Amino acid sequence: MATYCLTVARLQLALGQGVRRLHVSAAFNAKAKVSMSRFEPSNFVNYEKLNENVNIVRKRLNRPLTLSEKIVYGHLDDPVGQDIARGRTYLRLRPDRVAMQDATAQMAMLQFISSGLPQVAVPSTIHCDHLIEAQIGGAKDLARAKDINAEVYNFLASAGAKYGVGFWKPGSGIIHQIILENYAYPGVLLIGTDSHTPNGGGLGSICIGVGGADAVDVMAGIPWELKCPNVIGVKLTGKLSGWTSPKDVILKVAGILTVKGGTGAIVEYHGPGVDSISCTGMATICNMGAEIGATTSVFPYNHRMKTYLEKTGRGDIAALADDYADLLVPDVGCEYDSMVEINLDELKPHINGPFTPDLAHPMADIGATAVKNGWPLEVKVGLIGSCTNSSYEDMGRSASVAKQALDKGLKCKAAFTITPGSEQIRATIERDGYSKILGDVGGMVLANACGPCIGQWDRRDVKKGEKNTIVTSYNRNFTARNDANPATHAFVASPEIVTALAIAGTLDFNPEVDYLTAANGEKFKLKPPSADELPKLDFDPGQDTYQHPPAEGGSKLRVDVSPTSTRLQLLEPFDKWAGGDLEDLQILIKVKGKCTTDHISAAGPWLKFRGHLDNISNNMLIGAVNIENDGVNKIKNQLTGEYGGVPDVARHYKANGLSWVVVGDDNYGEGSSREHAALEPRHLGGRCIIVKSFARIHETNLKKQGMLPLTFQNPADYDKIRPDDKISIKGLATFAPGKPLSTVVKHSDGTKDEFQLNHTFNETQIEWFQAGSALNRMKELQ
């Protein structure tokens, strides 16, 4: 569908009056170099190169480009020769930088160490945000985490120093907020080992979540592969107002596109409604775009981004972006593959859930829907913050709601937690009084970390199996995601709606129309929240939590991993392809229904083993539902006839030389970017995953580790497979891009089924499979 993108006139209006505007060609005049960040003064923003590549590609394609195409194609390794076709070809790209959170950085750095390379080739950072468990409060929880995780933090700090990687210490904040405050800028291409890396799209960046092996490629200076994305346009008209927030935009979009509607696509927001959204609000929308399967999401450069850059000490980047503003918005007349239109004047507050982030409800409907479905109305806990909603504006709007309740003598009926996005946000909201208001209404400020959003929550107010409701401003709400309780009904909303529901204590409270009862018996309505987009004073940076790599390099430093450690383990190469077809693979488990990376490799208490492949493999597929018995972590061992846990049976098969295969349903591997969901099956003897469809990151992660991710050419063939079958994969001797493989399914009654299996491997990825993994192939080429 074609649509006209921002006009130059609208762009000039968006950037404000009096802003110096130059045509892109004029910007080639000699200018002072501008550093990408204050932490890397010798690495510079290179809009000239971006513009040069964009012009090459625009002439080749002979059509206007979307913003995402400009940024992606502007980072092509070979803009002259690269085959470019949306949704079809693989692009070889040169990202500007890499960011890794601590849970994924362990495996990424272990893989980088295995590569034998002396230093990273692009600016890279490690962020310690995943291993801090929420228990009794920010300071004490942080101190406890530093003690418990000392071995891991020391490994990451020393590996960062040795290989030239910046290290953000525990307590710094959530990776995505740190990126927004320090590293994202209009036009940058960044990859991060976390699915919510697209947060940076709120600052006009293309930031893409990947697995650790992809990060290693970029850190090694190897072109990074990405299937050329389709582009979904979301046109915003009207203006946000009242209780409606940026979070409601993505909650609405998730309801429209569902958890797989964005797979293989970049979501590009545009239209006059964009200017009513703050920079951090745009980041919220992009962050949760991971929940629709999108490769990433992005907004065009405007005055909201300019102001944010200036307020975070990057006015020089803002000035340079002004000079190249035409490069940082879509071309007039560009075309999108599909289009969604949302009138912000008509958009109402939403709440999504339970158990999936795309089950969207207007706040006005949730009460009746909950009663109809038997969802608990009492709100046990309200939780605000997370990488999605922990900005200064988010905290201010929540405090605005809380202050109204306090003024009427009320406190929260539900438990209430607050997670600041970064040390800078924590220090600033404490200085400006927001923390006190949120504390006085009954809230507990947690550490600057992921906490309950990823299951790092020592919850004790309900027993496991007890049916209950919580509301969060997080991004995903899969079964047992937050508290390991499969009976917890988790709903996702904006921070201000969560705050209102925590005060009211019930899910059927709609602050737009419903009344609360003050301490004196008076009935009153909460007014729509209001708060400053950015602090009137400068941000308070708080404590200095960044460790620079040594200026002289780290060649003399050592990174030790104890052979007796339960937390860290050096990697051994996976075995190479033996050269023939895969014969008589045992079905390990036939998975029924939704199977996210949480089901394949649970987080929560398992995070402590993210650097020890053998130990963390004990959680492999323990959350997946076995179609044979509707049980979880209970499958039949076909060698013994006994039932056991999935990883236990897999280990028994491996010990007896029996390779195995997993069969799954639609959108297999949705959710987090965690590559452990691919490493663990490979480590325990898996060879192939056959499903109806894959989530993007997980499919790539499987390829990187030498696995075969295959899809049924006819999805109905899923029904032909029985849990005790043996499967052979045929055609590997002539394995080629675009050429299906075939399978022979042997049933225990002696009958067979044969059908075709599709794949998305290109020539390079086939070489990964043949070498046993992408890392093996990298070492072959050195």
Side-chain angles (χ1 to χ4, degrees):
M1 179 184 295
T3 185
Y4 283 99
C5 303
L6 284 177
T7 63
V8 173
R10 183 180 296 161
L11 172 66
Q12 291 173 325
L13 179 63
L15 290 174
Q17 299 300 318
V19 174
R20 182 165 58 96
R21 297 280 291 112
L22 298 176
H23 189 271
V24 170
S25 62
F28 288 126
N29 295 330
K31 296 184 66 65
K33 291 185 176 180
V34 175
S35 297
M36 291 169 62
S37 85
R38 63 189 175 94
F39 301 106
E40 296 128 4
S42 59
N43 290 285
F44 303 107
V45 177
N46 195 347
Y47 284 147
E48 290 189 15
K49 179 64 174 176
L50 183 69
N51 187 66
E52 178 185 328
N53 286 358
V54 167
N55 284 336
I56 291 170
V57 173
R58 189 189 285 114
K59 289 177 182 176
R60 284 184 54 205
L61 299 181
N62 193 31
R63 62 172 173 81
L65 302 178
T66 70
L67 170 60
S68 51
E69 287 183 306
K70 287 183 178 182
I71 302 174
V72 172
Y73 304 163
H75 286 83
L76 286 170
D77 182 53
D78 178 15
V80 175
Q82 172 71 59
D83 188 13
I84 301 170
R86 287 186 192 169
R88 187 175 65 81
T89 59
Y90 280 87
L91 307 178
R92 291 168 63 82
L93 302 168
R94 292 284 184 178
D96 297 302
R97 65 179 311 118
V98 174
M100 300 167 280
Q101 42 94 335
D102 50 355
T104 49
Q106 295 170 65
M107 195 56 68
M109 292 310 297
L110 286 166
Q111 290 178 88
F112 188 81
I113 290 170
S114 296
S115 75
L117 296 169
Q119 287 267 296
V120 296
V122 301
S124 304
T125 50
I126 293 168
H127 304 259
C128 294
D129 63 358
H130 270 56
L131 301 179
I132 303 168
E133 184 181 51
Q135 189 179 66
I136 55 177
K140 291 182 179 178
D141 290 347
L142 177 58
R144 178 170 171 266
K146 287 180 177 178
D147 179 52
I148 292 172
N149 303 309
E151 179 186 16
V152 170
Y153 292 147
N154 289 338
F155 165 73
L156 293 174
S158 60
K162 180 171 180 62
Y163 296 105
V165 178
F167 179 71
W168 288 85
K169 302 173 186 176
S172 301
I174 303 171
I175 178 174
H176 312 296
Q177 183 67 29
I178 298 291
I179 288 173
L180 200 70
E181 292 173 353
N182 298 279
Y183 298 116
Y185 61 84
V188 73
L189 176 60
L190 178 153
I191 65 166
T193 60
D194 193 287
S195 51
H196 297 281
T197 300
N199 193 82
L203 204 43
S205 311
I206 291 292
C207 300
I208 300 177
V210 299
D214 279 338
V216 171
D217 279 355
V218 179
M219 290 191 291
I222 297 172
W224 171 62
E225 283 199 340
L226 175 72
K227 194 168 191 178
C228 188
N230 290 316
V231 188
I232 299 172
V234 179
K235 183 177 182 179
L236 302 179
T237 59
K239 183 178 181 180
L240 287 177
S241 63
W243 282 92
T244 306
S245 74
K247 185 64 164 272
D248 297 306
V249 176
I250 187 58
L251 294 176
K252 177 72 173 178
V253 170
I256 295 169
L257 294 179
T258 78
V259 291
K260 60 180 182 179
T263 302
I266 293 177
V267 179
E268 186 170 311
Y269 293 85
H270 63 281
V274 166
D275 291 334
S276 73
I277 306 173
S278 67
C279 177
T280 52
M282 290 187 270
T284 289
I285 294 168
C286 293
N287 179 293
M288 197 175 158
E291 302 315 323
I292 58 173
T295 301
T296 192
S297 303
V298 68
F299 278 83
Y301 178 59
N302 69 358
H303 71 283
R304 310 298 281 263
M305 297 181 192
K306 174 183 173 71
T307 302
Y308 185 80
L309 285 167
E310 291 171 340
K311 203 69 174 180
T312 52
R314 294 174 288 170
D316 52 351
I317 294 180
L320 190 62
D322 283 350
D323 290 345
Y324 284 88
D326 292 344
L327 182 63
L328 305 173
V329 297
D331 286 343
V332 173
C334 66
E335 294 187 357
Y336 297 108
D337 294 287
S338 61
M339 178 68 69
V340 174
E341 295 194 25
I342 297 176
N343 184 343
L344 301 181
D345 289 335
E346 299 172 356
L347 183 64
K348 289 291 187 178
H350 274 61
I351 185 167
N352 287 23
F355 306 125
T356 184
D358 60 347
L359 186 57
H361 318 274
M363 280 299 300
D365 299 342
I366 187 61
T369 304
V371 170
K372 178 183 176 182
N373 289 285
W375 302 334
L377 286 178
E378 180 190 3
V379 174
K380 289 285 189 180
V381 191
L383 306 100
I384 65 170
S386 84
C387 61
T388 315
N389 278 107
S390 54
S391 68
Y392 183 83
E393 181 183 34
D394 289 327
M395 296 294 135
R397 286 175 66 88
S398 296
S400 172
V401 175
K403 181 68 164 56
Q404 295 179 59
L406 287 170
D407 289 345
K408 297 293 185 179
L410 297 185
K411 290 193 173 185
C412 291
K413 290 184 178 178
F416 186 43
T417 70
I418 301 98
T419 305
S422 67
E423 170 61 9
Q424 179 166 273
I425 296 297
R426 182 209 63 78
T428 306
I429 66 171
E430 187 171 304
R431 179 198 68 193
D432 292 352
Y434 292 165
S435 293
K436 185 178 189 308
I437 293 170
L438 295 170
D440 288 348
V441 84
M444 177 173 67
V445 178
L446 302 176
N448 315 320
C450 300
C453 182
I454 60 162
Q456 285 284 50
W457 184 17
D458 184 18
R459 187 181 182 193
R460 299 181 181 182
D461 63 302
V462 297
K463 295 179 181 178
K464 190 170 183 178
E466 182 180 340
K467 195 174 178 181
N468 74 102
T469 285
I470 65 173
V471 290
T472 82
S473 69
Y474 301 163
N475 40 56
R476 55 180 56 135
N477 54 346
F478 303 138
T479 303
R481 164 81 178 182
N482 304 120
D483 61 1
N485 181 4
T488 293
H489 292 54
F491 295 85
V492 178
S494 67
E496 49 266 49
I497 290 292
V498 171
T499 304
L501 293 177
I503 292 166
T506 181
L507 191 64
D508 58 358
F509 176 73
N510 180 3
E512 287 195 305
V513 298
D514 293 334
Y515 287 79
L516 294 170
T517 303
N520 64 3
E522 171 195 354
K523 298 286 187 180
F524 75 99
K525 275 176 63 176
L526 294 169
K527 296 178 182 177
S530 62
D532 292 331
E533 175 182 342
L534 294 164
K536 288 186 173 66
L537 303 174
D538 287 339
F539 278 107
D540 182 339
Q543 299 179 43
D544 183 5
T545 53
Y546 178 73
Q547 172 188 293
H548 286 272
E552 65 276 11
S555 59
K556 297 180 181 179
L557 300 176
R558 287 181 56 84
V559 180
D560 292 321
V561 175
S562 169
T564 60
S565 173
T566 61
R567 301 285 302 269
L568 297 165
Q569 180 186 47
L570 293 174
L571 297 173
E572 295 292 331
F574 290 130
D575 59 313
K576 294 184 178 182
W577 172 56
D581 290 335
L582 299 178
E583 301 284 354
D584 292 331
L585 303 175
Q586 184 67 57
I587 299 283
L588 178 68
I589 180 173
K590 182 179 179 182
V591 176
K592 177 182 178 181
K594 183 186 283 283
C595 190
T596 72
T597 48
D598 278 345
H599 295 92
I600 304 168
S601 176
W606 292 94
L607 284 171
K608 61 179 173 287
F609 297 126
R610 283 286 181 88
H612 197 293
L613 180 54
D614 193 54
N615 283 346
I616 199 170
S617 293
N618 289 322
N619 77 359
M620 185 191 73
L621 287 160
I622 62 174
V625 176
N626 180 9
I627 199 168
E628 180 187 13
N629 54 18
D630 284 336
V632 174
N633 202 28
K634 186 178 181 182
I635 61 171
K636 187 175 183 179
N637 186 323
Q638 301 298 332
L639 296 180
T640 67
E642 299 176 351
Y643 280 82
V646 181
D648 300 322
V649 174
R651 287 184 187 277
H652 187 257
Y653 288 167
K654 182 180 179 181
N656 285 274
L658 179 60
S659 296
W660 48 263
V661 60
V662 170
V663 175
D665 213 320
D666 268 317
N667 208 31
Y668 184 89
E670 76 172 88
S672 170
S673 68
R674 67 192 65 152
E675 66 179 339
H676 297 76
L679 281 159
E680 293 170 32
R682 183 74 164 98
H683 176 64
L684 293 186
R687 291 294 181 183
C688 183
I689 310 290
I690 306 172
V691 300
K692 294 179 182 178
S693 63
F694 283 102
R696 175 189 65 86
I697 299 177
H698 186 60
E699 182 181 27
T700 300
N701 286 347
L702 288 166
K703 292 177 182 178
K704 286 280 186 178
Q705 303 307 333
M707 293 283 284
L708 277 178
L710 305 174
T711 55
F712 297 103
Q713 193 170 86
N714 178 4
D717 289 335
Y718 169 89
D719 298 319
K720 297 177 181 177
I721 295 180
R722 307 168 192 172
D724 60 349
D725 286 342
K726 290 197 171 182
I727 288 182
S728 297
I729 307 298
K730 303 290 189 178
L732 290 174
T734 56
F735 193 11
K739 181 181 179 182
L741 297 170
S742 62
T743 185
V744 177
V745 182
K746 297 178 183 177
H747 306 302
S748 57
D749 62 6
T751 61
K752 295 180 181 180
D753 275 302
E754 298 185 30
F755 45 81
Q756 298 290 296
L757 297 172
N758 291 335
H759 66 84
T760 61
F761 281 81
N762 62 26
E763 291 178 356
T764 299
Q765 294 166 348
I766 290 172
E767 291 174 354
W768 299 344
F769 168 74
Q770 293 168 340
S773 71
L775 188 59
N776 287 359
R777 181 58 178 158
M778 181 193 300
K779 295 175 81 169
E780 287 178 355
L781 294 173
Q782 286 180 20

